[in-house]
Amino acid sequence: MGKKKNLLDILKKLKRLPQIVTPKDASLILGYTGISPDSLIVDAGSGSGFLCIFLAYYCRGGKVVTYEKRPDFAKLVRKNVKSSGLKNIVVKEKDIFEGIKEKNIDLITLDMKGAEKVVENAFQVLKPGGWLVVYSPYIEQVIFVREEVENLKFTQIKTVENIVREWRVGRHTLPEVSGVIHTGWLTFARKSSKN
Ligand SMILES: C[S@@+](CC[C@H](N)C(=O)[O-])C[C@H]1O[C@@H](n2cnc3c(N)ncnc32)[C@H](O)[C@@H]1O
């Protein structure tokens, strides 16, 4: 890909079908996990491919393997990945409940129904010190995911909501009163480096 392509320009051109993880939340994943640019990342479900493209852009020395069970969305993701120009994304048309084939993973991101059912398998295939991040639009899923991560030897567990509010600055300065406030919760959990 051309060296000067800006990520936001790439994202603007992508087609969206399912709900995406926005740059506001995706950037928090990079900041809170501190993963290195040569990381191996597993992502599910791919959806429209926004999160996997975001992560692959910043981890260009590494690889993002993204699982999508629906053939129509897998096709869309492949199209979006091609349009991004990134070469370090592998799209697997597969149900992640059948198991994660990759090993020694630095980061696993889950944005899908039933994510709590993947937590145990994620723990097994993460490298010591690796991170699991679950994006949940509903608090009920956060509760299920927290139960799972707390039962395993995960450390540094936290759930956050990333609220960004713009301000209207002028003669009468005040916070914007409308706009997207809630997107989802992010649950972070790190496999202990002593495992
Ligand atoms: C909300 S979308 C993900 C959006 C994506 N994170 C993005 O930023 O574009 C959820 C996706 O998970 C997929 N999915 C749900 N269960 C799955 C499973 N068990 N294995 C793989 N994909 C799954 C759905 O088909 C859907 O495309």
Side-chain angles (χ1 to χ4, degrees):
M1 94 177 245
K3 279 192 195 122
K4 294 200 177 86
K5 254 190 174 178
N6 179 285
L7 176 60
L8 298 184
D9 296 335
I10 293 172
L11 296 177
K12 215 188 294 169
K13 287 194 186 134
L14 305 182
K15 191 170 170 200
R16 296 179 187 201
L17 280 177
Q19 168 97 31
I20 63 158
V21 174
T22 62
K24 163 180 86 72
D25 292 320
S27 54
L28 206 68
I29 297 176
L30 293 179
Y32 274 25
T33 62
I35 54 154
S36 67
D38 59 352
S39 294
L40 172 61
I41 300 169
V42 167
D43 165 64
S46 321
S48 305
F50 274 64
L51 179 59
C52 75
I53 289 169
F54 189 100
L55 296 171
Y57 183 89
Y58 287 108
C59 297
R60 265 180 278 185
K63 185 163 84 170
V64 181
V65 180
T66 184
Y67 285 66
E68 174 55 55
K69 71 171 183 182
R70 278 185 51 169
D72 52 341
F73 290 160
K75 193 172 164 196
L76 169 72
V77 176
R78 288 201 177 96
K79 219 170 140 191
N80 278 344
V81 167
K82 194 168 174 209
S83 141
S84 77
L86 293 165
K87 304 287 180 216
N88 58 337
I89 302 174
V90 177
V91 181
K92 281 193 173 177
E93 191 184 310
K94 235 176 170 336
D95 187 328
I96 201 164
F97 292 159
E98 290 168 14
I100 302 169
K101 293 286 167 276
E102 294 68 29
K103 304 265 179 284
N104 233 13
I105 302 165
D106 296 284
L107 167 67
I108 298 176
T109 54
L110 302 175
D111 171 17
M112 48 172 275
K113 217 170 146 188
E116 65 278 3
K117 297 186 196 130
V118 186
V119 172
E120 195 171 346
N121 189 193
F123 184 79
Q124 291 157 356
V125 293
L126 277 171
K127 67 159 63 156
W131 284 93
L132 169 68
V133 181
V134 183
Y135 177 85
S136 310
Y138 306 109
I139 198 67
E140 289 78 5
Q141 188 188 48
V142 174
I143 294 162
F144 293 141
V145 168
R146 290 287 305 226
E147 265 173 28
E148 292 299 317
V149 292
E150 280 159 22
N151 283 334
L152 293 159
K153 279 188 188 157
F154 275 109
T155 61
Q156 300 178 41
I157 302 168
K158 68 175 163 209
T159 298
V160 299
E161 186 185 8
N162 185 15
I163 298 172
V164 174
R165 190 169 60 169
E166 233 177 284
W167 281 52
R168 200 181 309 161
V169 177
R171 251 164 59 90
H172 304 286
T173 298
L174 77 170
E176 288 288 356
V177 289
S178 62
V180 179
I181 301 295
H182 176 75
T183 47
W185 287 273
L186 287 159
T187 298
F188 294 83
R190 190 174 196 188
K191 184 168 171 173
S192 165
S193 53
K194 292 186 193 112
N195 283 300

